[in-house]
Amino acid sequence: MNDIKENLQELAAELRQTRDELRVQISLAKAEARDEWEELEEKWEHFRARAKPVEDAVGESAGEVGDALLSLGKELKRGYQRIRDAL
């Protein structure tokens, strides 16, 4: 009977420690995701503000700017996917 009690106490202690460690890791992951989200929001605003004029522009320089915006858009997409994966 004491063996069962001791085993349960040991198991409970292990579970408590694992749970506490995971709680900290989850909090850190949330903070990292929040930081990345804030960075992506700044990039989104940059993208959004410049996308419309480029859509309307004509010429080679507009193409270069368009390529840069496409690159930024792809970066945003990867960042959003990282956040989705983290959650």
Side-chain angles (χ1 to χ4, degrees):
M1 187 79 151
N2 278 344
D3 287 341
I4 294 174
K5 183 178 179 180
E6 287 176 18
N7 287 340
L8 285 174
Q9 288 174 340
E10 287 177 18
L11 179 58
E14 288 177 35
L15 291 172
R16 190 175 7 261
Q17 181 178 352
T18 301
R19 182 177 176 270
D20 291 343
E21 290 170 358
L22 287 173
R23 184 182 316 136
V24 170
Q25 290 174 353
I26 288 171
S27 294
L28 292 174
K30 286 181 184 177
E32 288 175 7
R34 189 172 26 257
D35 291 345
E36 185 161 1
W37 176 261
E38 289 172 7
E39 282 182 38
L40 290 171
E41 281 296 283
E42 289 178 22
K43 290 178 181 179
W44 167 250
E45 290 302 322
H46 178 79
F47 177 85
R48 201 175 64 134
R50 288 169 179 63
K52 182 63 177 157
V54 170
E55 289 174 4
D56 297 337
V58 180
E60 188 174 314
S61 64
E64 292 170 6
V65 173
D67 289 342
L69 279 172
L70 284 174
S71 178
L72 177 59
K74 289 177 184 178
E75 183 180 341
L76 282 164
K77 185 176 180 178
R78 287 189 304 270
Y80 289 149
Q81 186 61 48
R82 282 192 303 272
I83 290 173
R84 177 175 283 133
D85 292 345
L87 300 174

